[in-house]
Amino acid sequence: MTMASTPAADHRPDEPEEPLAFIDEAAGNEDPPAPIKGVRRLLGWIIPANLGIFLIWGAVPGILLPAQITAQFGEADKVANLAIVMTIGAFFSMLAQPIAGQISDRTRSRFGRRAPWIFLGALAGGLSLVGLAFANSLVGVVIAWTLVQITYNFAQGPLSAVMPDRVPVKRRGTFATLSGIGLMVGALGGQIIGSIFYGSIAAGYVTFAVFSLVMLTLFIVFNPDHSSKELEPEPFRFADFLRTFWVSPIKHPDFFWAFTGRLLLYTGYFAVTGYQLYLLTDYFGVERPQDVIPLLGLISLAGILVATIVSGPLSDKLGRRKIFVFASSAVTGLAFLLPWVWPDLTAWMIMTFIAGLGFGMFQAVDTALMSEVLPSAKSFAKDLGVVNIAATLPQTLAPGVAGAIVLTFGYTGLFPVAIVLSVLGAFAVWPIKAVK
């Protein structure tokens, strides 16, 4: 037998010999074992998989759930009722993903650690959406929406771990780009599709539930994972379980700085964009904001897609992440300068595109950067769940923080705060050492 015919002939010196060895020994900046069906197929399927989840996040909380609450409980208390439902759901969503990741990391099955939870999360999420369609009391809506948040995060958390699990470091920018396209198109497209079901809310819930289950099931079928059955089960201790949600900034400073950068940028971004409706009516004097918002969504999507498509592959080619994350945070922050000094709708439109460029660049490259500062392959999904708190927490807290700023300084106070937070987010990535 010649050397060319042996499995070792195609083996890279830095590639773990077995998937089990990788899980036991590797960190996020090391190449994982090759996917069973290849990286190219994985790259193709991450877009529909993310669409399956993010169409829901675009359609339900922004369109269908507010419409349901208004239809069932009336106009008078719709703001307060929606705030109650969204706040409780957001709190449990923030906790669900790291818990789901922790459970996923410890799963032993012939289908691997992620596939069982991606499927079960999609199935249970679909059933929860159907339950939300038939909820006829505020308590029922709260419970159903909370279950939707928890169950789909049990799918989303393990799905996010696919990158460090299976994608080589040099192709993670490209993977993050494709993942970001699925995310952004899903979130913005969900608003458009959700508006089609505005008068048929139950049908909308069922449609999104079925689509998500089909897309995530197909992702699992066409991208099988290595078995985790032979992994040594780790003893479970509840105190140890709780401690794993704390990643020491002293032991893992790169992880800490990457988390901090994401937290700062997201807080600044959503403090402004989360108040878009009131900014349009009260700051820019737009009489019919509902006619303008779809156009602003398309402008934002254009900026995000252009930056995402260019930034991820380019960062792979150059072998650098930090400069892109720094530039994206700086661009996003500086974009908010425009409507601050020029309070006009035209300025807001230009800002929307520029901020989209910055946010798209950040989404593409920061996701790849985060995958490379993860401490251990044993806890990829849990650590990514903790990282995603830096994305979900600002969306939970930003409305309250922004509201306090508006009440104290007026709407003009939002812009300098967002600029400062975004620029601080840019500088937070420079101390990272494991990634160029």
Side-chain angles (χ1 to χ4, degrees):
M1 181 179 292
T2 64
M3 287 298 293
S5 62
T6 63
D10 297 324
H11 179 73
R12 299 192 313 272
D14 60 339
E15 182 182 28
E17 290 188 4
E18 296 181 358
L20 301 185
F22 173 78
I23 294 172
D24 282 334
E25 301 168 6
N29 60 350
E30 299 178 47
D31 281 349
I36 294 173
K37 297 294 184 179
V39 175
R40 184 173 296 180
R41 180 181 289 192
L42 201 62
L43 292 172
W45 273 100
I46 193 59
I47 293 178
N50 268 354
L51 277 175
I53 294 177
F54 285 94
L55 280 172
I56 293 169
W57 297 146
V60 178
I63 305 293
L64 298 181
L65 187 58
Q68 178 181 6
I69 287 175
T70 302
Q72 289 186 341
F73 310 116
E75 290 278 347
D77 298 318
K78 65 179 183 181
V79 175
N81 288 336
L82 181 62
I84 292 170
V85 174
M86 297 294 285
T87 301
I88 295 174
F91 174 77
F92 281 97
S93 173
M94 186 175 65
L95 297 178
Q97 202 167 126
I99 292 174
Q102 174 79 273
I103 295 172
S104 169
D105 288 330
R106 301 173 65 90
T107 295
R108 307 294 182 257
S109 82
R110 63 184 291 261
F111 302 106
R113 296 185 293 169
R114 315 303 179 197
W117 296 107
I118 294 173
F119 174 76
L120 290 174
L123 178 61
L127 294 175
S128 300
L129 272 178
V130 174
L132 180 61
F134 292 98
N136 54 15
S137 68
L138 185 61
V139 172
V141 171
V142 168
I143 293 173
W145 175 239
T146 299
L147 288 174
V148 169
Q149 294 271 57
I150 292 172
T151 50
Y152 277 114
N153 272 290
F154 262 81
Q156 186 177 334
L159 181 65
S160 69
V162 166
M163 182 193 294
D165 275 353
R166 308 190 210 176
V167 181
V169 172
K170 290 183 178 180
R171 302 197 70 178
R172 289 186 187 174
T174 301
F175 185 88
T177 290
L178 297 172
S179 177
I181 289 172
L183 186 157
M184 291 300 175
V185 172
L188 295 173
Q191 297 177 20
I192 297 171
I193 299 172
S195 64
I196 296 173
F197 290 102
Y198 192 86
S200 309
I201 297 171
Y205 286 152
V206 173
T207 300
F208 287 116
V210 171
F211 180 79
S212 178
L213 181 59
V214 171
M215 289 298 102
L216 291 172
T217 301
L218 290 175
F219 176 85
I220 294 168
V221 170
F222 285 101
N223 298 276
D225 198 4
H226 297 282
S227 170
S228 63
K229 285 180 66 176
E230 303 304 319
L231 276 173
E232 188 71 26
E234 296 183 11
F236 178 81
R237 299 181 182 90
F238 187 69
D240 292 341
F241 175 81
L242 293 178
R243 276 194 291 270
T244 59
F245 294 96
W246 166 251
V247 180
S248 171
I250 297 175
K251 291 183 179 179
H252 306 288
D254 287 349
F255 185 90
F256 167 77
W257 286 114
F259 178 94
T260 301
R262 177 178 283 197
L263 181 68
L264 290 168
L265 176 70
Y266 271 68
T267 302
Y269 183 81
F270 286 107
V272 174
T273 59
Y275 263 71
Q276 176 171 259
L277 178 62
Y278 294 162
L279 281 166
L280 290 173
T281 56
D282 300 345
Y283 186 70
F284 299 115
V286 177
E287 294 184 1
R288 290 182 56 82
Q290 65 270 28
D291 295 338
V292 178
I293 289 175
L295 175 60
L296 291 169
L298 291 175
I299 293 173
S300 178
L301 180 60
I304 288 170
L305 288 179
V306 168
T308 300
I309 291 169
V310 172
S311 302
L314 185 58
S315 75
D316 280 347
K317 184 176 181 179
L318 298 177
R320 295 185 177 274
R321 312 291 189 203
K322 289 199 295 185
I323 186 62
F324 287 91
V325 175
F326 180 89
S328 66
S329 299
V331 167
T332 303
L334 292 175
F336 294 133
L337 184 64
L338 195 60
W340 185 22
V341 300
W342 180 21
D344 184 83
L345 180 60
T346 302
W348 183 257
M349 288 182 173
I350 298 172
M351 183 280 297
T352 297
F353 180 75
I354 297 174
L357 288 173
F359 198 70
M361 187 188 304
F362 186 86
Q363 279 288 119
V365 182
D366 183 68
T367 304
L369 182 147
M370 290 301 318
S371 76
E372 294 175 42
V373 299
L374 298 175
S376 171
K378 292 181 178 179
S379 57
F380 278 164
K382 182 271 296 180
D383 291 335
L384 282 170
V386 173
V387 165
N388 285 334
I389 291 176
T392 56
L393 184 61
Q395 296 177 62
T396 304
L397 299 180
V401 174
I405 293 171
V406 170
L407 290 173
T408 305
F409 302 104
Y411 288 104
T412 54
L414 291 175
F415 301 112
V417 171
I419 291 169
V420 169
L421 290 174
S422 298
V423 173
L424 287 176
F427 282 101
V429 303
W430 281 124
I432 296 174
K433 297 178 180 179
V435 181
K436 291 182 180 180

